[in-house]
């Protein structure tokens, strides 16, 4: 199968050619012809399968025919996180460069003003996180009655983050006669119900989910005898020091862990920066760009923040602990060893992580070699317990699998950053008044971030310049 056989127009094909793609991926080959004809699609695929192009390419093709009208976008794309929304917009720019289509991005942490002006003029495509979209809709800045195509990306993540009621509300505001595309890595019952309620005879396109880790990745487990956070941080540092890293991602299970681990790495002289849902958007974009450009060596991330991000191949992945959801282990370590290159992963497992680690091993059906950096065992034995945790967490950690609690708390832990964007109108007015007073004509003054970078620093991400 070639791209020429899918029914895409010459402008889209030219952009695809420039992107260097030789052939459509399986999800593209199956979804694109159906989307071009206006049909609904339920795509069960995760990141890395080419799913973004599977909806962006035919969407551009279809939109090429009409014209944008003020405040009435013709296509609405919903994504769970700001980064994913920004990434979809980058794809739209890449594949749409030969089509004169307009786009606005409504994501939290970014000034309304510029996007509002774009909306007023009329955009073909609106890419948004649900919270920010509802906010803008409630302000009367937006009419959704002209939406011909709705695309819901990463629906299962939306569920994890508590966005399903927002999505239902948004669907009820759209014209009933429309095309609806829904993409999700998994199909839990809530998402199946959503698809049944809002889609019309969708074509189901499924790309098999890997439950196997790539052979190009050499996996290690570092088993330490203590649940103490200080011991874990020490182990992480020693492991990183032992490796010859080009660049690496350190995955943590919670936002607070991301912060503590990043601060500890920086304190010990490592070139590290954090990315998670509570950090200002501009800082997150800037950090990602620095990492992509090779200016930052270690990215410390939560699963939700890193999910779906198109980060180029990294040499090492470090798991500060095994993930609460087994399949996230495959996503995490799949950040390395891409496209035939080799990569290494190291997972730190303390006694409280054993249950989660056993789940990972059951899923990957592989043995993972144990690794212990020279001198670490002795160093950990000499380590005084972490002051902050002494007498608190340890007993609880022993009594109940720590991973169990993490599993329940993680989505809630990540969700508020987006959900909080929606307030009651009264609260919002108050907030806006005080914000206006504070910000005057500079909408983007942000809190200094962990490493002292304020706002954008010297950098403005591309999507904000539009
Ligand atoms: P996605 O699953 O949408 O996150 O895409 C993952 C990566 O695959 C992105 O870097 C895309 O640029 C790339 N990609 C998308 N379609 C193709 C294709 N047909 N051939 C090669 N790479 C592709």
């Amino acid at each position: 199968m070639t791209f020429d056989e899918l029914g895409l127009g010459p402008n889209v094909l030219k952009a695809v050619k420039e992107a260097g793609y030789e052939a459509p991926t399986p999800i593209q080959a199956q979804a694109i012809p159906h989307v071009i004809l206006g049909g609904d699609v339920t795509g069960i695929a995760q990141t890395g399968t080419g799913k973004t192009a599977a909806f962006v390419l035919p969407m551009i093709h279809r939109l090429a025919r009409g014209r944008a009208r003020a405040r009435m976008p013709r296509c609405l794309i919903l994504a769970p996180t700001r980064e994913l929304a920004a990434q979809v917009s980058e794809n739209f720019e890449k594949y749409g460069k030969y089509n004169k289509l307009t786009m606005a991005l409504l994501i939290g942490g970014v000034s309304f003003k510029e996007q509002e002006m774009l909306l007023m003029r009329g955009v073909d495509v609106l890419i948004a996180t649900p919270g920010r979209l509802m906010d803008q809709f409630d302000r009367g800045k937006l009419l959704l009655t002209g939406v011909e195509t709705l695309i819901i990306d990463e629906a299962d993540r939306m569920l994890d983050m508590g966005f399903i009621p927002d999505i239902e509300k948004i669907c009820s505001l759209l014209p009933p006669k429309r095309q609806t595309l829904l993409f999700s890595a998994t199909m839990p019952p809530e998402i199946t119900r959503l698809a049944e309620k809002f889609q019309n005879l969708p074509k189901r396109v499924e790309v098999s989910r890997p439950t196997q880790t790539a052979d190009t990745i050499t996996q290690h487990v570092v088993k330490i005898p203590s649940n103490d956070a200080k011991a874990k941080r020490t182990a992480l540092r020693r492991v990183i020091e032992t490796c010859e890293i080009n660049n690496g991602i350190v995955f943590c299970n919670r936002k607070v862990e991301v912060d503590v681990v990043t601060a500890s790495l920086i304190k010990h002289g490592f070139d590290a920066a954090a990315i998670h849902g509570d950090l200002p958007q501009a800082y997150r974009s800037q950090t990602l760009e620095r990492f992509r450009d090779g200016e930052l060596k270690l990215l410390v991330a939560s699963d939700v923040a890193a999910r779906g991000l198109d980060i180029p191949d990294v040499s090492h992945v470090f798991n500060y602990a095994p993930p609460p959801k087994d399949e996230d282990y495959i996503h995490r370590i799949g950040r390395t060893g891409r496209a035939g290159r080799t990569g290494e992963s190291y997972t730190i497992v303390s006694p409280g992580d054993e249950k989660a680690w056993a789940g990972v091993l059951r899923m990957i059906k592989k043995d993972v070699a144990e690794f212990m950096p020279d001198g670490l065992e002795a160093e950990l034995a000499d380590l005084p317990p972490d002051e902050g945790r002494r007498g608190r967490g340890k007993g609880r950690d022993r009594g109940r699998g720590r991973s169990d609690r993490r599993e329940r708390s993680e989505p809630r832990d990540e969700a508020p950053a987006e959900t909080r964007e929606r307030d009651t109108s009264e609260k919002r007015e108050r907030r806006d008044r005080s914000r206006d007073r504070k910000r005057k004509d500079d909408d983007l003054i942000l809190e200094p971030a962990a490493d002292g970078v304020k706002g954008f620093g010297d950098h403005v991400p591309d999507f904000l310049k539009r």
Side-chain angles (χ1 to χ4, degrees):
M1 172 76 83
T2 66
F3 273 106
D4 294 333
E5 296 167 62
L6 299 178
L8 294 163
N11 289 341
V12 179
L13 287 174
K14 195 168 161 195
V16 167
K17 202 165 184 162
E18 276 180 25
Y21 304 157
E22 283 166 15
T25 64
I27 187 134
Q28 291 164 1
Q30 291 175 71
I32 291 174
H34 194 72
V35 179
I36 286 180
L37 293 176
D40 286 1
V41 166
T42 309
I44 304 156
Q46 55 203 17
T47 233
T49 55
K51 72 171 165 66
T52 317
F55 60 79
V56 172
L57 295 175
M59 171 195 81
I60 295 171
H61 173 92
R62 280 174 64 78
L63 289 174
R65 274 180 274 144
R67 274 195 62 225
R69 282 190 289 164
R71 289 197 296 156
M72 290 176 74
R74 298 157 65 205
C75 173
L76 172 64
I77 305 181
L78 297 175
T81 64
R82 303 153 187 193
E83 281 79 10
L84 276 169
Q87 203 167 283
V88 173
S89 83
E90 281 163 22
N91 273 257
F92 174 79
E93 298 240 299
K94 181 159 92 179
Y95 305 132
K97 62 200 275 196
Y98 297 111
N99 290 75
K100 286 193 183 67
L101 296 172
T102 49
M103 178 204 73
L105 189 59
L106 284 185
I107 54 178
V110 171
S111 161
F112 272 134
K113 280 185 197 156
E114 204 179 319
Q115 305 300 309
E116 231 172 74
M117 264 159 50
L118 287 174
L119 278 173
M120 282 304 289
R121 259 185 265 143
V123 292
D124 297 291
V125 182
L126 180 60
I127 304 171
T129 49
R132 196 69 185 232
L133 181 83
M134 288 309 298
D135 226 9
Q136 200 73 333
F137 183 81
D138 291 345
R139 286 165 168 235
K141 303 287 182 191
L142 188 63
L143 287 171
L144 295 174
T145 44
V147 172
E148 297 155 22
T149 304
L150 167 70
I151 301 170
I152 304 170
D153 194 17
E154 303 257 344
D156 52 353
R157 277 286 138 164
M158 303 257 204
L159 174 71
D160 283 351
M161 296 173 77
F163 282 146
I164 298 302
D166 281 343
I167 292 174
E168 297 202 335
K169 171 99 194 287
I170 292 165
C171 285
S172 71
L173 298 168
L174 303 178
K177 200 169 166 291
R178 59 156 198 271
Q179 180 178 39
T180 305
L181 314 177
L182 182 145
F183 290 83
S184 193
T186 55
M187 283 303 273
E190 294 90 336
I191 301 301
T192 306
R193 262 200 303 278
L194 193 76
E196 279 165 3
K197 192 164 164 196
F198 295 110
Q199 291 195 293
N200 180 25
L201 300 173
K203 179 181 165 83
R204 191 180 162 103
V205 177
E206 189 160 359
V207 177
S208 62
R209 279 155 36 77
T211 52
Q212 271 295 335
T213 50
D215 291 333
T216 47
I217 308 166
T218 311
Q219 303 172 51
H220 310 266
V221 58
V222 182
K223 293 202 169 188
I224 60 168
S226 161
N227 283 329
D228 193 283
K230 202 168 182 178
K232 283 204 119 177
R233 294 197 297 270
T234 305
L236 175 69
R237 288 199 305 274
R238 299 294 166 256
V239 171
I240 297 174
E241 280 164 359
T242 315
C243 300
E244 272 181 34
I245 70 163
N246 180 26
N247 58 351
I249 305 179
V250 179
F251 281 101
C252 299
N253 291 341
R254 300 180 64 106
K255 287 185 284 195
V256 56
E257 243 170 34
V258 172
D259 285 335
V260 174
V261 168
T262 311
S264 153
L265 286 170
I266 292 170
K267 191 176 128 201
H268 287 88
F270 291 85
D271 180 20
I275 171 166
H276 66 63
D278 274 358
L279 289 167
Q281 173 61 34
Y283 177 73
R284 284 154 64 177
S285 306
Q286 188 198 40
T287 303
L288 260 183
E289 224 162 287
R290 282 173 56 217
F291 188 68
R292 283 193 183 124
D293 292 349
E295 290 163 22
L296 173 72
K297 236 183 167 83
L298 286 169
L299 185 69
V300 188
S302 65
D303 285 297
V304 174
R307 180 88 174 211
L309 289 184
D310 189 18
I311 297 170
D313 193 44
V314 296
S315 69
H316 289 74
V317 168
F318 304 96
N319 292 316
Y320 185 65
K325 291 183 181 172
D326 300 340
E327 74 258 25
D328 279 340
Y329 179 79
I330 294 178
H331 298 156
R332 286 181 177 189
I333 76 165
R335 302 295 177 159
T336 186
R338 286 180 166 196
R341 278 181 285 234
T342 56
E344 290 188 54
S345 77
Y346 291 83
T347 304
I348 299 172
V349 172
S350 59
D353 300 321
E354 284 290 354
K355 199 173 155 197
W357 181 241
V360 167
L361 289 180
R362 264 198 305 279
M363 180 191 58
I364 62 173
K365 298 187 187 79
K366 268 184 192 167
D367 284 336
V368 174
E370 289 201 23
F371 175 78
M372 183 57 69
D374 286 345
L376 178 62
E377 252 167 329
E379 190 179 354
L380 292 183
D382 288 346
L383 208 64
D386 191 12
E387 287 303 318
R389 292 180 57 82
R390 198 200 299 261
R392 277 192 287 129
K394 282 177 165 182
R396 280 187 320 203
D397 288 349
R398 228 181 291 129
R400 192 169 53 166
R402 211 173 352 155
S403 52
D404 285 357
R405 280 186 285 117
R406 274 200 309 264
E407 184 145 14
R408 275 193 298 276
S409 62
E410 190 227 24
R412 251 185 286 137
D413 191 28
E414 285 285 354
E418 295 292 345
T419 355
R420 271 200 306 267
E421 284 162 23
R422 295 196 57 205
D423 290 343
T424 61
S425 51
E426 212 182 300
K427 248 163 89 188
R428 188 165 54 224
E429 268 172 34
R430 259 203 319 271
R431 185 192 65 196
D432 286 354
R433 273 199 302 275
S434 95
R435 191 194 276 162
D436 284 350
R437 273 199 305 277
K438 266 195 255 156
R439 293 188 175 176
K440 298 225 167 80
D441 49 2
D442 183 357
D443 259 339
L444 293 162
I445 294 174
L446 298 160
E447 300 290 312
D451 63 357
V453 175
K454 197 170 182 182
F456 294 108
D458 295 330
H459 170 77
V460 180
D462 277 341
F463 66 80
L464 289 181
K465 290 186 201 149
R466 269 168 233 147

